[in-house]
Amino acid sequence: MKNLLCQNLGVDVSKDSLDVVFSTLDMERQVRVKASRKFANTPAGIRQLQRWMESKRAAEVELRILMEATGVYYEQLAWFLHQQGYQVSVILPTKAKRYLQALGHRSKNDSIDAKGLARMGLEQLLPLWQPLSQNIYQLRLLTRQLEDFSNQRTVFLNQLHALHHSAFAVKQVEKSLKKMVRTLEKSIQELEEAIRELICQDPLLAERVEKLLAIKGVGLKTVAVLLAETNGFATFEKQGQLVSYSGYDVVENQSGKRSGKTRMSKKGNAHIRRAMHLPAFTVVRYKEPVFAALHERLLARGKTKMQAYVAVQRKLLILIWTLWRKNEVYDPLHDQRHQKQKRDIQLLEAGASLSGVSEADENKVAPLGRATQD
């Protein structure tokens, strides 16, 4: 045990079971599988997993636990282990898949996945998982259910539209579809009201949300989805992290002299991208200065309309994140004033250079170009 550097438990999570592999890393950088087992993905099975894990671990050596973010099925285990004080990391399935491919694994099963996660946890220092707050967790459930009901409503409306243009209409089918649409519309209204009430229950949260709603085209549902899917932006220190998490990061395809097509990754949170879709159209239609200018500039460069709107989505997401972090109200003329200030400074510096004022004396030049008085 004295030769061990660290220990890791890799967990492959599915709806009904937890495949786990306990591995160790020694002073010679050798990874060894110490034990493996399968448990039920239930409260009793999770407690059994904890007892088994404690019987295998070395108490004086660091232990970390790594699992994939498999739908919502990992959350029960992650919550329990986090509350028990364990160091838990959660990664996207695509990241685990790329790691296994790098190891040369061609086959895929629960045992191989768990073994790969256990090894990955030993070799990489992964960020620790931070659970959602109770309000944010409830908000995520509400917004995702709202999204599901809205999608179902669209499906039934499309079926109604097709039925009205069919050669033979069946009244019973039409009646059933209209009933489903009415039921869904009522449920959608109830969910929207529940989202509004949940946000209003927290005065500080409601105040900050109200500042974001000053952006024409950004509604309460959009803001609610962003807060729910990002844990209130709590885990993002840089805008690049948010962009990558949301799937707006750019993937290049270049090697040597060959230059392939550059595209958006779309590997991140699809709920965020769907929430940003309509607001991007709206801010351009309302001619919000920053976004309308970006849209026109990209079209002038030969980009397609959809590429331009995706760029608007990305910029709008970054703006919302920035306003949230700074707790500021949206100012549509901020960029224009910033650009004017930069031009004024450049003109001032150019004037100082032409007049023979040295770089060391530039700080003595008054804002309007008049010499300061001693």
Side-chain angles (χ1 to χ4, degrees):
M1 294 299 181
K2 293 181 180 181
N3 294 326
L4 293 183
L5 285 175
C6 56
Q7 308 166 99
N8 190 273
L9 184 76
V11 186
D12 183 72
V13 181
S14 65
K15 179 173 69 72
D16 299 317
S17 63
L18 304 168
D19 283 85
V20 301
V21 172
F22 193 98
S23 294
T24 60
L25 180 68
D26 60 25
M27 294 291 186
E28 298 177 353
R29 311 300 298 180
Q30 294 293 320
V31 175
R32 290 184 172 84
V33 174
K34 187 174 181 179
S36 62
R37 192 170 167 181
K38 177 179 286 191
F39 299 91
N41 192 1
T42 61
I46 290 173
R47 288 192 295 270
Q48 188 179 6
L49 182 154
Q50 183 190 21
R51 291 192 296 269
W52 177 84
M53 177 178 60
E54 287 295 332
S55 70
K56 303 298 180 183
R57 68 175 296 189
E60 68 278 7
V61 181
E62 180 186 37
L63 170 66
R64 287 199 169 206
I65 301 166
L66 178 60
M67 65 187 76
E68 288 182 355
T70 308
V72 298
Y73 300 117
Y74 77 95
E75 291 180 346
Q76 183 177 211
L77 175 63
W79 266 96
F80 175 83
L81 294 174
H82 178 79
Q83 290 175 337
Q84 296 295 316
Y86 293 100
Q87 298 184 69
V88 180
S89 296
V90 179
I91 61 172
L92 294 174
T94 52
K95 188 171 184 178
K97 179 181 178 181
R98 287 195 294 269
Y99 178 80
L100 288 173
Q101 288 174 341
L103 293 178
H105 290 291
R106 296 183 179 180
S107 300
K108 175 179 172 58
N109 57 48
D110 294 341
S111 177
I112 292 175
D113 290 348
K115 189 180 296 184
L117 289 170
R119 186 183 186 94
M120 185 179 184
L122 292 171
E123 295 180 347
Q124 300 183 16
L125 185 60
L126 299 167
L128 296 180
W129 178 73
Q130 295 296 326
L132 301 173
S133 69
Q134 184 174 348
N135 282 347
I136 293 294
Y137 186 77
Q138 292 176 358
L139 189 62
R140 193 182 69 176
L141 291 176
L142 289 170
T143 54
R144 288 192 178 183
Q145 189 64 66
L146 178 62
E147 181 183 324
D148 289 341
F149 282 174
S150 298
N151 292 338
Q152 291 177 35
R153 176 180 176 273
T154 300
V155 170
F156 289 134
L157 287 175
N158 289 340
Q159 290 178 359
L160 269 174
H161 182 269
L163 186 65
H164 290 159
H165 290 79
S166 63
F168 301 98
V170 180
K171 290 296 183 181
Q172 187 58 42
V173 174
E174 181 179 3
K175 182 180 178 181
S176 298
L177 289 173
K178 287 182 176 179
K179 182 179 179 181
M180 292 299 298
V181 169
R182 288 194 301 269
T183 302
L184 286 170
E185 288 177 342
K186 181 180 178 181
S187 298
I188 288 172
Q189 291 178 358
E190 292 173 349
L191 287 171
E192 290 175 346
E193 185 59 33
I195 291 171
R196 189 174 293 105
E197 289 179 0
L198 184 61
I199 291 175
C200 290
Q201 286 173 4
D202 187 336
L204 295 177
L205 178 63
E207 179 186 358
R208 299 183 75 174
V209 168
E210 192 65 29
K211 292 178 180 178
L212 297 179
L213 298 182
I215 307 173
K216 290 182 180 179
V218 176
L220 184 63
K221 288 189 291 185
T222 300
V223 176
V225 171
L226 295 182
L227 295 179
E229 298 297 332
T230 63
N231 197 12
F233 297 112
T235 57
F236 304 102
E237 297 179 356
K238 299 179 181 179
Q239 71 178 39
Q241 295 172 331
L242 175 62
V243 168
S244 178
Y245 175 78
S246 306
Y248 287 114
D249 50 327
V250 176
V251 177
E252 294 184 359
N253 185 12
Q254 186 272 337
S255 178
K257 295 182 179 180
R258 184 183 65 82
S259 181
K261 187 176 180 181
T262 299
R263 58 181 178 82
M264 190 177 69
S265 74
K266 293 186 180 180
K267 293 295 185 181
N269 190 302
H271 300 284
I272 292 178
R273 296 197 302 277
R274 280 193 286 268
M276 299 302 299
H277 183 74
L278 287 179
F281 286 101
T282 310
V283 293
V284 173
R285 186 171 70 247
Y286 284 158
K287 297 188 182 301
E288 287 285 342
V290 177
F291 306 106
L294 173 63
H295 184 259
E296 292 172 4
R297 188 164 62 250
L298 291 175
L299 290 180
R301 291 180 185 174
K303 301 295 184 181
T304 66
K305 287 187 176 181
M306 187 51 63
Q307 287 175 326
Y309 277 119
V310 169
V312 171
Q313 292 178 34
R314 172 175 168 154
K315 190 173 185 68
L316 180 57
L317 176 64
I318 293 173
L319 172 65
I320 292 173
W321 171 77
T322 303
L323 294 175
W324 181 268
R325 288 192 69 196
K326 296 182 177 180
N327 195 17
E328 294 179 351
V329 180
Y330 171 62
D331 178 8
L333 302 179
H334 176 269
D335 275 17
Q336 293 181 9
R337 278 195 285 267
H338 181 65
Q339 292 298 326
K340 183 178 183 300
Q341 185 181 16
K342 286 178 64 177
R343 287 195 298 271
D344 290 343
I345 292 174
Q346 291 171 353
L347 289 172
L348 182 62
E349 292 174 346
S353 176
L354 290 172
S355 63
V357 178
S358 67
E359 193 172 310
D361 294 332
E362 285 185 4
N363 291 332
K364 297 182 180 180
V365 179
L368 296 180
R370 297 191 299 270
T372 56
Q373 298 295 325
D374 292 335

Short mmCIF file of all heavy atoms in Angstrom, two decimals, residues 195-215 220 223 227 320 323-330:
data_model
loop_
_atom_site.label_atom_id
_atom_site.label_comp_id
_atom_site.label_asym_id
_atom_site.label_seq_id
_atom_site.Cartn_x
_atom_site.Cartn_y
_atom_site.Cartn_z
N ILE A 195 -42.31 28.03 -13.72
CA ILE A 195 -40.96 28.58 -13.91
C ILE A 195 -40.89 30.01 -13.41
O ILE A 195 -39.96 30.42 -12.71
CB ILE A 195 -40.55 28.50 -15.40
CG1 ILE A 195 -40.33 27.04 -15.80
CG2 ILE A 195 -39.31 29.33 -15.67
CD1 ILE A 195 -40.15 26.83 -17.29
N ARG A 196 -41.91 30.80 -13.76
CA ARG A 196 -41.96 32.20 -13.33
C ARG A 196 -42.03 32.30 -11.80
O ARG A 196 -41.33 33.11 -11.18
CB ARG A 196 -43.17 32.89 -13.96
CG ARG A 196 -43.22 34.40 -13.76
CD ARG A 196 -44.37 35.02 -14.53
NE ARG A 196 -44.17 34.90 -15.97
CZ ARG A 196 -44.82 34.05 -16.75
NH1 ARG A 196 -45.71 33.22 -16.23
NH2 ARG A 196 -44.59 34.01 -18.04
N GLU A 197 -42.84 31.46 -11.19
CA GLU A 197 -42.97 31.49 -9.73
C GLU A 197 -41.68 31.07 -9.04
O GLU A 197 -41.28 31.66 -8.03
CB GLU A 197 -44.12 30.57 -9.29
CG GLU A 197 -45.50 31.09 -9.64
CD GLU A 197 -46.59 30.13 -9.21
OE1 GLU A 197 -46.25 29.06 -8.62
OE2 GLU A 197 -47.78 30.42 -9.45
N LEU A 198 -41.01 30.06 -9.60
CA LEU A 198 -39.76 29.58 -9.00
C LEU A 198 -38.70 30.67 -9.02
O LEU A 198 -37.95 30.84 -8.04
CB LEU A 198 -39.26 28.35 -9.75
CG LEU A 198 -38.02 27.65 -9.18
CD1 LEU A 198 -38.27 27.16 -7.76
CD2 LEU A 198 -37.59 26.50 -10.08
N ILE A 199 -38.61 31.43 -10.11
CA ILE A 199 -37.64 32.51 -10.20
C ILE A 199 -38.02 33.66 -9.28
O ILE A 199 -37.15 34.25 -8.60
CB ILE A 199 -37.52 32.99 -11.66
CG1 ILE A 199 -36.85 31.89 -12.50
CG2 ILE A 199 -36.71 34.29 -11.75
CD1 ILE A 199 -36.77 32.21 -13.98
N CYS A 200 -39.30 33.98 -9.21
CA CYS A 200 -39.75 35.10 -8.37
C CYS A 200 -39.62 34.81 -6.88
O CYS A 200 -39.59 35.75 -6.07
CB CYS A 200 -41.21 35.44 -8.70
SG CYS A 200 -41.43 36.20 -10.33
N GLN A 201 -39.53 33.55 -6.50
CA GLN A 201 -39.37 33.20 -5.10
C GLN A 201 -38.04 33.69 -4.53
O GLN A 201 -37.90 33.90 -3.33
CB GLN A 201 -39.47 31.68 -4.91
CG GLN A 201 -40.87 31.14 -5.04
CD GLN A 201 -40.90 29.62 -5.01
OE1 GLN A 201 -39.86 28.97 -4.80
NE2 GLN A 201 -42.07 29.03 -5.20
N ASP A 202 -37.06 33.88 -5.39
CA ASP A 202 -35.74 34.36 -4.98
C ASP A 202 -35.58 35.79 -5.49
O ASP A 202 -35.32 36.02 -6.68
CB ASP A 202 -34.66 33.46 -5.58
CG ASP A 202 -33.27 33.80 -5.05
OD1 ASP A 202 -33.07 34.94 -4.61
OD2 ASP A 202 -32.39 32.92 -5.08
N PRO A 203 -35.72 36.81 -4.62
CA PRO A 203 -35.66 38.21 -5.07
C PRO A 203 -34.36 38.57 -5.78
O PRO A 203 -34.38 39.30 -6.78
CB PRO A 203 -35.81 39.00 -3.76
CG PRO A 203 -36.49 38.06 -2.81
CD PRO A 203 -35.99 36.70 -3.18
N LEU A 204 -33.22 38.05 -5.29
CA LEU A 204 -31.94 38.35 -5.92
C LEU A 204 -31.86 37.75 -7.32
O LEU A 204 -31.38 38.38 -8.26
CB LEU A 204 -30.79 37.84 -5.05
CG LEU A 204 -30.62 38.51 -3.69
CD1 LEU A 204 -29.48 37.86 -2.92
CD2 LEU A 204 -30.35 40.00 -3.86
N LEU A 205 -32.36 36.50 -7.43
CA LEU A 205 -32.37 35.85 -8.74
C LEU A 205 -33.30 36.58 -9.69
O LEU A 205 -32.95 36.82 -10.85
CB LEU A 205 -32.81 34.39 -8.57
CG LEU A 205 -32.93 33.56 -9.85
CD1 LEU A 205 -31.58 33.43 -10.53
CD2 LEU A 205 -33.50 32.18 -9.54
N ALA A 206 -34.47 36.96 -9.20
CA ALA A 206 -35.45 37.67 -10.03
C ALA A 206 -34.90 39.00 -10.53
O ALA A 206 -35.12 39.39 -11.68
CB ALA A 206 -36.74 37.89 -9.25
N GLU A 207 -34.15 39.69 -9.67
CA GLU A 207 -33.59 40.99 -10.06
C GLU A 207 -32.57 40.83 -11.19
O GLU A 207 -32.55 41.59 -12.15
CB GLU A 207 -32.92 41.64 -8.85
CG GLU A 207 -32.28 42.99 -9.15
CD GLU A 207 -31.51 43.53 -7.97
OE1 GLU A 207 -31.51 42.88 -6.91
OE2 GLU A 207 -30.89 44.61 -8.12
N ARG A 208 -31.72 39.81 -11.08
CA ARG A 208 -30.70 39.60 -12.10
C ARG A 208 -31.31 39.12 -13.42
O ARG A 208 -30.85 39.48 -14.50
CB ARG A 208 -29.66 38.60 -11.60
CG ARG A 208 -28.93 39.07 -10.35
CD ARG A 208 -27.86 38.11 -9.90
NE ARG A 208 -26.68 38.19 -10.76
CZ ARG A 208 -25.55 37.54 -10.51
NH1 ARG A 208 -25.45 36.75 -9.46
NH2 ARG A 208 -24.52 37.65 -11.32
N VAL A 209 -32.35 38.29 -13.32
CA VAL A 209 -33.03 37.83 -14.52
C VAL A 209 -33.69 39.00 -15.24
O VAL A 209 -33.65 39.10 -16.48
CB VAL A 209 -34.08 36.75 -14.17
CG1 VAL A 209 -34.99 36.47 -15.36
CG2 VAL A 209 -33.39 35.47 -13.72
N GLU A 210 -34.28 39.92 -14.47
CA GLU A 210 -34.94 41.09 -15.05
C GLU A 210 -33.97 41.93 -15.87
O GLU A 210 -34.33 42.49 -16.91
CB GLU A 210 -35.56 41.94 -13.94
CG GLU A 210 -36.51 43.02 -14.44
CD GLU A 210 -37.76 42.45 -15.10
OE1 GLU A 210 -38.17 41.34 -14.72
OE2 GLU A 210 -38.29 43.13 -16.00
N LYS A 211 -32.72 42.01 -15.44
CA LYS A 211 -31.71 42.77 -16.18
C LYS A 211 -31.42 42.13 -17.54
O LYS A 211 -31.17 42.83 -18.52
CB LYS A 211 -30.43 42.88 -15.35
CG LYS A 211 -30.57 43.75 -14.10
CD LYS A 211 -29.29 43.77 -13.30
CE LYS A 211 -29.45 44.65 -12.05
NZ LYS A 211 -28.23 44.66 -11.21
N LEU A 212 -31.45 40.81 -17.59
CA LEU A 212 -31.20 40.12 -18.86
C LEU A 212 -32.36 40.28 -19.83
O LEU A 212 -32.16 40.28 -21.04
CB LEU A 212 -30.94 38.63 -18.60
CG LEU A 212 -29.71 38.28 -17.76
CD1 LEU A 212 -29.61 36.78 -17.58
CD2 LEU A 212 -28.44 38.82 -18.40
N LEU A 213 -33.57 40.43 -19.29
CA LEU A 213 -34.75 40.56 -20.14
C LEU A 213 -34.79 41.90 -20.86
O LEU A 213 -35.66 42.12 -21.70
CB LEU A 213 -36.02 40.36 -19.31
CG LEU A 213 -36.18 38.99 -18.64
CD1 LEU A 213 -37.49 38.91 -17.89
CD2 LEU A 213 -36.08 37.87 -19.67
N ALA A 214 -33.85 42.81 -20.52
CA ALA A 214 -33.77 44.09 -21.23
C ALA A 214 -33.30 43.91 -22.66
O ALA A 214 -33.45 44.81 -23.50
CB ALA A 214 -32.83 45.05 -20.48
N ILE A 215 -32.72 42.74 -22.98
CA ILE A 215 -32.31 42.44 -24.36
C ILE A 215 -33.55 42.07 -25.16
O ILE A 215 -34.23 41.09 -24.84
CB ILE A 215 -31.30 41.28 -24.40
CG1 ILE A 215 -30.13 41.54 -23.45
CG2 ILE A 215 -30.80 41.06 -25.81
CD1 ILE A 215 -29.19 40.36 -23.30
N LEU A 220 -38.12 35.05 -20.78
CA LEU A 220 -37.92 34.36 -19.51
C LEU A 220 -37.57 32.89 -19.72
O LEU A 220 -36.72 32.34 -19.01
CB LEU A 220 -39.18 34.48 -18.64
CG LEU A 220 -39.09 33.87 -17.24
CD1 LEU A 220 -38.04 34.59 -16.41
CD2 LEU A 220 -40.44 33.92 -16.54
N VAL A 223 -33.82 32.54 -20.64
CA VAL A 223 -32.95 32.75 -19.48
C VAL A 223 -33.06 31.57 -18.52
O VAL A 223 -32.05 31.10 -17.97
CB VAL A 223 -33.31 34.06 -18.76
CG1 VAL A 223 -32.47 34.24 -17.50
CG2 VAL A 223 -33.10 35.25 -19.69
N LEU A 227 -29.90 29.23 -17.26
CA LEU A 227 -29.56 29.08 -15.84
C LEU A 227 -29.65 27.62 -15.40
O LEU A 227 -28.81 27.13 -14.65
CB LEU A 227 -30.49 29.94 -14.98
CG LEU A 227 -30.39 31.46 -15.17
CD1 LEU A 227 -31.40 32.16 -14.28
CD2 LEU A 227 -28.98 31.95 -14.87
N ILE A 320 -25.01 37.34 -22.53
CA ILE A 320 -25.83 37.00 -21.36
C ILE A 320 -24.95 36.55 -20.20
O ILE A 320 -25.15 36.95 -19.05
CB ILE A 320 -26.86 35.91 -21.74
CG1 ILE A 320 -27.89 36.48 -22.72
CG2 ILE A 320 -27.56 35.37 -20.49
CD1 ILE A 320 -28.84 35.45 -23.29
N LEU A 323 -23.16 39.69 -18.75
CA LEU A 323 -24.07 40.51 -17.95
C LEU A 323 -24.39 39.85 -16.62
O LEU A 323 -24.50 40.51 -15.58
CB LEU A 323 -25.35 40.78 -18.74
CG LEU A 323 -25.22 41.63 -20.00
CD1 LEU A 323 -26.56 41.70 -20.73
CD2 LEU A 323 -24.72 43.03 -19.67
N TRP A 324 -24.54 38.52 -16.65
CA TRP A 324 -24.86 37.79 -15.42
C TRP A 324 -23.70 37.88 -14.44
O TRP A 324 -23.90 38.11 -13.24
CB TRP A 324 -25.17 36.34 -15.76
CG TRP A 324 -25.53 35.52 -14.56
CD1 TRP A 324 -24.70 34.77 -13.78
CD2 TRP A 324 -26.82 35.39 -13.98
NE1 TRP A 324 -25.39 34.17 -12.77
CE2 TRP A 324 -26.70 34.52 -12.85
CE3 TRP A 324 -28.09 35.89 -14.30
CZ2 TRP A 324 -27.78 34.18 -12.07
CZ3 TRP A 324 -29.16 35.53 -13.51
CH2 TRP A 324 -29.02 34.70 -12.41
N ARG A 325 -22.48 37.67 -14.92
CA ARG A 325 -21.31 37.72 -14.04
C ARG A 325 -21.12 39.11 -13.43
O ARG A 325 -20.78 39.23 -12.26
CB ARG A 325 -20.05 37.33 -14.82
CG ARG A 325 -19.96 35.86 -15.17
CD ARG A 325 -18.57 35.53 -15.66
NE ARG A 325 -17.60 35.61 -14.57
CZ ARG A 325 -16.29 35.68 -14.75
NH1 ARG A 325 -15.80 35.71 -15.97
NH2 ARG A 325 -15.47 35.74 -13.73
N LYS A 326 -21.31 40.14 -14.24
CA LYS A 326 -21.09 41.51 -13.77
C LYS A 326 -22.32 42.10 -13.10
O LYS A 326 -22.25 43.20 -12.54
CB LYS A 326 -20.67 42.39 -14.95
CG LYS A 326 -19.32 42.00 -15.56
CD LYS A 326 -18.95 42.95 -16.68
CE LYS A 326 -17.58 42.61 -17.25
NZ LYS A 326 -17.19 43.53 -18.35
N ASN A 327 -23.46 41.38 -13.21
CA ASN A 327 -24.73 41.86 -12.64
C ASN A 327 -25.06 43.25 -13.20
O ASN A 327 -25.34 44.20 -12.45
CB ASN A 327 -24.66 41.90 -11.12
CG ASN A 327 -26.03 42.05 -10.48
OD1 ASN A 327 -27.06 41.81 -11.14
ND2 ASN A 327 -26.07 42.44 -9.23
N GLU A 328 -25.00 43.37 -14.53
CA GLU A 328 -25.24 44.64 -15.20
C GLU A 328 -26.47 44.55 -16.09
O GLU A 328 -26.87 43.47 -16.53
CB GLU A 328 -24.03 45.05 -16.04
CG GLU A 328 -22.79 45.37 -15.23
CD GLU A 328 -21.61 45.75 -16.10
OE1 GLU A 328 -21.72 45.61 -17.34
OE2 GLU A 328 -20.58 46.17 -15.55
N VAL A 329 -27.04 45.73 -16.39
CA VAL A 329 -28.17 45.82 -17.32
C VAL A 329 -27.63 45.95 -18.74
O VAL A 329 -26.58 46.58 -18.96
CB VAL A 329 -29.06 47.03 -16.98
CG1 VAL A 329 -30.24 47.12 -17.94
CG2 VAL A 329 -29.57 46.92 -15.55
N TYR A 330 -28.32 45.37 -19.68
CA TYR A 330 -27.89 45.43 -21.08
C TYR A 330 -27.95 46.85 -21.61
O TYR A 330 -28.96 47.55 -21.46
CB TYR A 330 -28.78 44.51 -21.92
CG TYR A 330 -28.58 44.65 -23.41
CD1 TYR A 330 -27.35 44.38 -23.99
CD2 TYR A 330 -29.63 45.07 -24.24
CE1 TYR A 330 -27.16 44.50 -25.35
CE2 TYR A 330 -29.46 45.19 -25.60
CZ TYR A 330 -28.21 44.90 -26.15
OH TYR A 330 -28.03 45.03 -27.50
#
